[in-house]
Structure formats: C-alpha cells, structure tokens
Amino acid sequence: MPNQPFLTRIKNGDVLVADGATGTNLIARGLPSGLTAESWVMDQPEKVTQLHQDFIRAGADIILTSTFNASSIRLRNSPLDGKADQVNKSAAEIAKMVVGAAQVYIAGSLGPIGQLIKPYGPLTVDEVRAAYADQARALKDAGVDLLVIETQFDINEVSAAVDGVRQVSNLPLVVSYSYDRGRRTMMGISPTQAARQLESLPVEVIGINCGHSLDENLQNLVELRSQTSKPIWFKPNAGLPHLDPAGKTVYDVTPEAMGSLVQSWLDAGAQIVGGCCGTSPDHLREISSHVKM
C-alpha cells in the first residue's frame, strides 16, 4: 500500500505511470480465443499474477484489476454468469497479493456494459446503474485504491455508471473515453463533449484510453486539456492492430517508438500515462523510463 493516498500524489502534481494492456498480453501468453481475462482470474490466477508483476517491474505506479468484463450484465450467458462479485473480489485479491508493500496503487477496472441503453439497445438506465454499483461495491470491499470507468463511448452510460459508483463508493474515480472513430467515440462523442459532461460530475480524473491511432489520440488529448482543469489519464493503444501472415493480431508500434512520444503526452497535459491494447511490459518500461528520468 503506497504511503501517500492517490489523490495526494495527483494534487502534488506527480506524474504517474499506469500499466499496459491486459487482454492482448494475456492472449499473447496463451489465453484461448473466446475467453476473457476474467476466466483466468478464476482458473489460472498465476497468469494474471505474472502480468501484474511484469508491469510493476516495468515501472507501473498503478495496476488495473482484470475486471474489465466483470459486470453482472457482461457476464450473462458466460461460464461466469452469476459470479460477478466473486470475480471482482478475486481479481482485486490477486492485485493486492502482487503489490504487497510496494508503492503501487490498485485501480478497479470497470469496462463498458456491453449493450446499449434504450432506445438504442435493450437496457434501462436503472439496470446499468445497478450493475456498475454492484461491481464498484465488490471492488471497493476488496480494497482497491481507486476506480476506473474505462473505454467508454456513450454519455448516457457514463452518467449512469458514475451515479451507480457514487451510490456505493467515495473512492477516487477516473472516467476514460475511447475515441475509436479517431476524433470521436462510437456514439459520436468528442473530447470537448466528454469534458463538458465530466466537469459537472463527481469524477476526480478524466481521460482517454484505447481508441484509434496515436496521432489522433494526441489530438484528442490536446482538445481535452483545452476544455478541462481536471487531471488527465492517458492510455493509448500501441498503434493500430492488423493481422500478420499467420492470422495473428499484431501492433506495430515498437516500445522505443512509443516511449519517444511520452514527452509529447506530458506536454499536452497528461498526468497519468500508460498504454492500452498492444502495450506490453517492454512498451511500459520505455514509457516509464521517459517519465522517471
């Protein structure tokens, strides 16, 4: 457990390094197609443990729990249906065991719910709010240091998610949108729209993760910084994915190339930096080396 609370470090202006990708790294380590990281939380926790350890050795100040898909709604019709509390608590326990006495924060990851809210999809706002509340409660009770509502694309889902989380927790909260259409989210939300929404919500840190190209994500970061005074979380992909001749998904941005961009992220206003899809421990080591020079 770190000596200083997370928000104290943020208010002091410290730049922190968040971890890299969970899913793509576990796939590279043998996670079978069609399974999510949550299945290995329950069945092969040593694999999740090793990834956390690798990120910490690479310089991470923050590791995210392997709970991106662990809402009760997202786990429906999967082998983990009805086990959301158990999955979230187990993932947090794995992270706590890895961190031990290290000066590393544990962030509870809450990914998108997986279906749209009415009238675009089948879910009601109340259902979404309750699912986020249940997941946040489980992570909080298991002892995480902060919560991260990540890879978001819909203003209505974000509002319901924040409301649900705040019904059960006062932990520091990060909300991060994914601009997977380049300069907008899947639902057409721009960084300016996201900032205007999040400025009025009980959220301590706002940000960008996943998304499209590194160039476009940097543009999104610049726009977001111009619209908010809140600290910014920035975890872009290691470039765009494509299939190699063997049919394997690969990301072409090298660790060195990604590390070389870190100063531009900091200059644009990011305070917490890491990487999303394709970001290996080697990538994170380069990112960290440019933060902690």
Side-chain angles (χ1 to χ4, degrees), residues 142-155:
V144 302
D145 300 300
L146 63 147
L147 296 167
V148 181
I149 299 171
E150 61 172 318
T151 324
Q152 296 295 312
F153 53 84
D154 178 18
I155 276 182

Side-chain angles (χ1 to χ4, degrees), residues 20-24 26 35-39 41 48 52 64-75 80 84 87-88 91-92 107-114 131-132 135 139 148-153 157 176-178 209-211 233 235 237 276-277:
T22 296
T24 52
L26 291 182
L35 294 183
T36 64
E38 289 76 14
S39 64
V41 165
V48 179
H52 286 326
L64 276 75
T65 56
S66 296
T67 54
F68 181 87
N69 300 291
S71 69
S72 57
I73 292 175
R74 193 119 184 183
L75 293 179
L80 297 175
V87 171
N88 283 282
S109 170
L110 301 93
I113 213 74
Y132 275 102
Q135 188 177 6
L139 290 165
V148 181
I149 299 171
E150 61 172 318
T151 324
Q152 296 295 312
F153 53 84
E157 180 169 341
S176 180
Y177 273 89
S178 174
N209 77 286
C210 203
W233 166 284
K235 288 188 70 181
N237 287 348
C276 205
C277 299

Side-chain angles (χ1 to χ4, degrees), residues 49-110:
T49 296
Q50 184 64 59
L51 183 58
H52 286 326
Q53 290 172 335
D54 290 346
F55 281 137
I56 291 172
R57 291 191 189 103
D61 300 304
I62 303 167
I63 58 171
L64 276 75
T65 56
S66 296
T67 54
F68 181 87
N69 300 291
S71 69
S72 57
I73 292 175
R74 193 119 184 183
L75 293 179
R76 286 176 185 168
N77 303 315
S78 82
L80 297 175
D81 188 13
K83 298 180 179 180
D85 276 4
Q86 184 181 355
V87 171
N88 283 282
K89 290 177 180 178
S90 295
E93 289 297 330
I94 291 170
K96 287 170 61 179
M97 178 189 66
V98 172
V99 167
Q103 301 298 300
V104 175
Y105 300 98
I106 300 170
S109 170
L110 301 93

Side-chain angles (χ1 to χ4, degrees), residues 105-293:
Y105 300 98
I106 300 170
S109 170
L110 301 93
I113 213 74
Q115 299 179 62
L116 295 176
I117 296 173
K118 293 180 178 179
Y120 304 105
L123 299 178
T124 66
V125 170
D126 287 345
E127 288 174 314
V128 173
R129 183 186 297 116
Y132 275 102
D134 289 343
Q135 188 177 6
R137 183 186 296 107
L139 290 165
K140 177 200 71 171
D141 290 350
V144 302
D145 300 300
L146 63 147
L147 296 167
V148 181
I149 299 171
E150 61 172 318
T151 324
Q152 296 295 312
F153 53 84
D154 178 18
I155 276 182
N156 292 326
E157 180 169 341
V158 166
S159 294
V162 172
D163 192 17
V165 168
R166 284 299 180 228
Q167 287 179 3
V168 301
S169 171
N170 290 317
L171 286 172
L173 180 59
V174 179
V175 174
S176 180
Y177 273 89
S178 174
Y179 300 95
D180 59 348
R181 294 300 182 265
R183 298 300 312 282
R184 291 181 179 269
T185 75
M186 185 182 79
M187 296 293 283
I189 306 305
S190 70
T192 294
Q193 290 171 294
R196 288 173 179 168
Q197 176 202 30
L198 295 173
E199 279 287 309
S200 65
L201 293 178
V203 174
E204 284 76 24
V205 179
I206 70 177
I208 295 166
N209 77 286
C210 203
H212 208 242
S213 73
L214 285 163
D215 287 343
E216 287 167 315
N217 263 332
L218 179 58
Q219 294 175 57
N220 292 329
L221 172 59
V222 170
E223 181 179 341
L224 188 65
R225 177 77 286 165
S226 72
Q227 299 296 322
T228 183
S229 60
K230 291 187 177 185
I232 292 179
W233 166 284
F234 190 63
K235 288 188 70 181
N237 287 348
L240 294 172
H242 66 87
L243 296 179
D244 68 11
K248 179 182 177 182
T249 300
V250 295
Y251 293 79
D252 281 344
V253 175
T254 66
E256 294 76 16
M258 201 162 181
S260 72
L261 298 173
V262 170
Q263 190 58 52
S264 68
W265 304 347
L266 301 180
D267 291 344
Q271 188 173 353
I272 302 166
V273 295
C276 205
C277 299
T279 306
S280 69
D282 288 340
H283 286 85
L284 198 75
R285 187 171 295 105
E286 288 292 326
I287 291 170
S288 177
S289 72
H290 287 267
V291 171
K292 303 175 181 182
M293 291 187 293

